[in-house]
C-alpha cells in the first residue's frame, strides 16, 4: 500500500511540489531501502525504529501504512512527537482503541485522519450529489453486492473477520457518505464458505438501519470466483421517485416514475450528474490533498477520525452482531 501513497505524492503536482518525504521506516530495513530506490528517494533517512526516525527528522506529517495490529502504537508515537497522522484503514482494531486515538489526537492538537480512498472516486461522488439533489425523491434504501475471489496470501488470509474488517469498511463508508445518514443498528451473519482459502470470515450478509428510516443492505464474499463484481460493489439506490443502478465502474442506469396510472407505473430515464468537484475523484491523491490542505488551514479533513469512527463502528457492530446472533445498536 505504501507504493500507492508514494505514487500519489510523486505524480500529483500540488503534492509533489509541497510534500517532501524525509524518511522511511520498516521493521525490515531492506524493504525500506528497496522502496526508496524504486521511488528515487536517494536522500531519505532509513530506519527500523519509528521514534528514532521522528527524533532524527522532526517531520510535520506521519503516513501510517502498517498492518492493523500495529496501528495504535504507531499513531500514538506520531502524535506524541507532534505529527499530524494519516493512517491506512481500519482506523483501529476496536472501537475502544479508536476512541483512545481520538483522545490522543485531541490532546496533542493534531489531526488523525484515515485513508478512505474509495469514497474519493467519481461514482461515489456522483451518487452523493444525485441523492443530495433529491433526483430520486426521498432516499429509502441502499443495497450492494460485493463478490470477488482475490488470493492475497500473507496476513489477510490469517485474519479474523477478514472481509468485514479489511474490506467491507470501504463499502460501509461509501454507503454512509453517499446517503448522508448515520448508522443506528445492524444485524449481520458472517461465515467462512466451504472452499474458502481464508482462515476466518470471508463472507457476510448485513442489514443496517440508518437515520431517517433508510436501510442499507450488504452481501459480500472474498472467496466467490466466476462472477466478480467491481471492487466498489454493485449498487441499487432506491428513493420514493425511482431507482439508480451502478455497477461500481462506469455504468449507471437511473429511472424515475413518469406516470400515475397502471399496475406498474411508467418510468423514464434521468441523467446522473457529474461529481460536485472533479478534484475529489482521484483516490489516494484526493485523500492526501484533502489532508495536507486541512493541516495548512487548520480544518478537519473529510476522513478525520472524528468522522471515520462512525464507519468503523459499523464494522464492529456487524462483527458483534454475527458473534452474538442478534441486532446490535451502533455507537461510535
Amino acid at each position: 500500500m505504501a507504493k500507492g501513497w508514494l505514487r500519489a505524492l510523486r505524480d500529483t503536482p500540488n503534492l509533489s511540489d509541497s510534500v517532501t518525504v524525509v524518511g522511511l521506516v520498516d521493521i525490515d530495513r531492506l524493504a525500506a531501502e528497496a522502496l526508496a530506490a524504486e521511488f528515487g528517494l536517494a536522500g531519505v533517512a532509513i530506519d527500523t525504529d519509528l521514534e528514532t526516525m521522528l527524533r532524527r527528522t522532526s517531520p510535520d506529517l506521519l503516513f501510517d501504512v502498517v498492518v492493523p495490529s500495529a496501528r495504535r502504537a504507531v499513531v500514538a508515537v506520531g502524535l506524541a512527537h507532534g505529527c499530524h497522522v494519516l493512517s491506512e484503514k481500519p482506523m483501529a482494531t476496536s472501537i475502544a482503541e479508536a476512541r483512545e486515538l481520538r483522545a490522543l489526537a485531541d490532546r496533542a492538537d493534531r489531526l488523525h485522519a484515515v485513508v478512505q480512498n474509495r469514497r474519493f472516486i467519481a461514482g461515489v461522488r456522483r451518487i452523493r450529489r444525485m441523492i443530495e439533489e433529491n433526483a430520486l425523491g426521498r432516499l429509502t434504501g441502499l443495497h450492494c453486492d460485493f463478490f470477488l475471489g482475490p488470493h492475497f496470501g500473507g496476513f489477510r488470509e490469517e485474519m479474523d473477520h477478514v472481509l468485514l474488517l479489511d474490506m467491507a469498511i470501504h463499502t460501509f463508508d461509501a454507503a454512509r457518505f453517499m446517503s448522508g445518514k448515520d448508522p443506528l443498528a445492524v444485524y449481520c451473519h458472517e461465515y467462512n464458505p466451504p472452499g474458502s482459502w481464508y482462515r476466518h470470515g470471508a463472507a457476510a450478509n448485513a442489514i443496517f438501519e440508518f437515520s431517517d428510516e433508510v436501510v442499507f443492505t450488504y452481501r459480500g464474499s472474498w472467496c466467490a470466483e466466476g462472477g466478480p463484481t467491481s471492487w466498489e460493489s454493485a449498487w441499487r439506490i432506491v428513493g420514493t421517485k425511482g431507482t439508480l443502478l451502478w455497477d461500481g465502474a462506469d455504468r449507471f442506469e437511473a429511472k424515475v416514475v413518469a406516470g400515475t396510472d397502471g399496475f406498474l407505473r411508467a418510468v423514464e430515464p434521468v441523467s446522473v450528474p457529474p461529481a460536485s468537484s472533479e478534484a475529489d475523484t482521484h483516490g489516494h491523491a484526493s485523500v492526501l490533498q484533502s489532508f495536507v490542505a486541512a493541516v495548512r488551514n487548520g480544518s478537519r479533513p473529510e476522513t478525520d477520525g472524528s468522522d471515520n469512527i462512525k464507519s468503523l463502528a459499523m464494522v464492529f457492530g456487524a462483527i458483534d452482531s454475527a458473534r452474538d446472533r442478534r441486532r446490535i445498536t451502533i455507537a461510535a
Side-chain angles (χ1 to χ4, degrees):
M1 295 309 300
K3 293 182 181 182
W5 292 46
L6 288 173
R7 277 193 294 269
L9 289 170
R10 180 193 64 194
D11 299 340
T12 308
N14 64 346
L15 288 174
S16 61
D17 295 343
S18 61
V19 177
T20 301
V21 178
V22 296
L24 296 174
V25 178
D26 198 295
I27 56 173
D28 179 355
R29 186 182 183 91
L30 293 178
E33 290 174 348
L35 196 63
E38 180 177 349
F39 283 87
L41 302 172
V44 304
I46 303 289
D47 212 300
T48 58
D49 181 73
L50 178 58
E51 287 209 64
T52 300
M53 177 64 76
L54 296 179
R55 287 194 297 268
R56 178 179 174 186
T57 58
S58 301
D60 304 299
L61 312 176
L62 173 64
F63 293 155
D64 154 32
V65 203
V66 301
V67 296
S69 59
R71 177 138 302 122
R72 189 267 172 212
V74 166
V75 174
V77 169
L79 293 171
H81 282 262
C83 296
H84 299 281
V85 183
L86 182 63
S87 289
E88 259 296 341
K89 55 78 195 159
M91 178 183 173
T93 58
S94 70
I95 286 296
E97 187 176 280
R99 290 173 182 148
E100 180 187 5
L101 293 179
R102 289 299 315 125
L104 290 174
D106 288 343
R107 284 201 294 270
D109 194 26
R110 290 295 182 265
L111 297 176
H112 177 219
V114 182
V115 172
Q116 292 289 175
N117 54 296
R118 284 193 161 89
R119 73 155 62 184
F120 287 89
I121 61 173
V124 169
R125 296 280 160 166
R126 293 177 72 183
I127 293 172
R128 163 85 174 208
R129 181 177 176 185
M130 192 170 199
I131 291 172
E132 287 180 330
E133 293 180 353
N134 203 40
L136 300 174
R138 177 180 172 180
L139 180 67
T140 61
L142 305 94
H143 311 280
C144 76
D145 285 342
F146 176 87
F147 291 95
L148 286 168
H151 292 260
F152 291 105
F155 75 94
R156 286 183 180 86
E157 293 190 4
E158 296 301 319
M159 283 179 64
D160 288 338
H161 315 291
V162 61
L163 179 67
L164 288 173
L165 191 57
D166 193 63
M167 186 63 206
I169 192 167
H170 282 302
T171 314
F172 295 176
D173 184 73
R176 192 172 65 80
F177 173 75
M178 289 189 294
S179 67
K181 308 302 180 184
D182 288 328
L184 303 178
V186 60
Y187 184 84
C188 179
H189 174 62
E190 179 190 43
Y191 56 108
N192 207 35
S196 170
W197 48 95
Y198 297 88
R199 187 183 63 80
H200 183 269
N205 288 27
I207 304 169
F208 288 91
E209 300 167 38
F210 278 6
S211 55
D212 297 325
E213 301 180 286
V214 173
V215 171
F216 165 51
T217 66
Y218 172 86
R219 301 189 302 178
S221 174
W222 242 357
C223 59
E225 297 178 293
T229 64
S230 160
W231 281 87
E232 317 310 333
S233 301
W235 292 80
R236 177 182 294 265
I237 313 296
V238 182
T240 55
K241 295 180 182 177
T243 293
L244 165 67
L245 304 178
W246 178 43
D247 68 352
D250 299 320
R251 186 176 64 82
F252 290 89
E253 181 182 349
K255 295 180 180 178
V256 296
V257 174
T260 58
D261 298 316
F263 180 66
L264 296 175
R265 301 294 195 248
V267 295
E268 62 183 9
V270 293
S271 61
V272 180
S276 297
S277 171
E278 192 274 339
D280 291 332
T281 63
H282 302 297
H284 278 93
S286 294
V287 179
L288 288 162
Q289 286 175 300
S290 172
F291 181 69
V292 171
V295 169
R296 286 178 169 161
N297 63 31
S299 63
R300 288 192 184 272
E302 187 175 296
T303 59
D304 183 74
S306 58
D307 177 83
N308 192 252
I309 195 172
K310 297 178 183 178
S311 297
L312 189 69
M314 292 176 68
V315 170
F316 286 111
I319 289 171
D320 290 346
S321 173
R323 180 196 63 221
D324 297 345
R325 297 184 178 273
R326 65 183 180 91
R327 176 183 178 272
I328 293 290
T329 300
I330 296 172

